[in-house]
Amino acid sequence: KADELDELDTDTAAPDPTNIAGARSTSTHIVGPHTPAAVDNYINWGRFDVAAWLHTLSLGQKYSELFYQNNIDGKVLEDCVKDKGKLIEIGVDKEDVTAILTGIRKLQDIYDGNGEL
């Protein structure tokens, strides 16, 4: 068991922000700001991408680990627009809910109805 933990701890290098090919880290750690998969429609983002996106809102330090641990992926992020109570349920401060919802709406504006840029 200790060897497994040591192995997890060695995978802490931040992803290359210039890699827009959609490569995902296998790390279970949120290590800091980087760019989520730029070629993916955000609805297809995994929880690592969503956690990374929070850094673009200057909320990564506060919420990236919380979103990651609560399995907030792109589909759940989309659902949060319809039900902002989900954000409050997982522990997002009420004053930050508006910033996150505004960020999600900006993501929605980037993509047309087909998920295309």
Side-chain angles (χ1 to χ4, degrees):
K1 294 281 184 208
D3 291 336
E4 289 175 21
L5 291 175
D6 288 341
E7 187 176 309
L8 283 176
D9 289 339
T10 61
D11 186 20
T12 58
D16 178 358
T18 62
N19 178 3
I20 61 168
R24 304 289 195 270
S25 170
T26 57
S27 174
T28 58
H29 302 290
I30 304 302
V31 294
H34 64 280
T35 305
V39 297
D40 257 356
N41 183 328
Y42 76 98
I43 292 172
N44 296 323
W45 285 353
R47 60 189 184 155
F48 189 79
D49 296 309
V50 170
W53 169 76
L54 288 167
H55 285 279
T56 70
L57 302 177
S58 299
L59 293 171
Q61 287 291 94
K62 195 170 184 181
Y63 295 117
S64 63
E65 194 68 32
L66 178 72
F67 274 53
Y68 188 85
Q69 289 175 354
N70 282 279
N71 297 312
I72 307 296
D73 61 13
K75 288 180 178 88
V76 175
L77 200 63
E78 176 78 3
D79 291 342
C80 289
V81 173
K82 298 170 195 144
D83 181 9
K84 68 180 181 182
K86 288 183 182 190
L87 295 172
I88 294 168
E89 267 180 40
I90 66 166
V92 175
D93 295 335
K94 289 182 182 179
E95 61 269 9
D96 293 328
V97 168
T98 301
I100 292 170
L101 292 176
T102 299
I104 297 169
R105 288 186 186 101
K106 286 180 182 178
L107 288 172
Q108 290 172 327
D109 289 344
I110 291 171
Y111 297 94
D112 67 18
N114 298 319
E116 304 281 329
L117 283 175

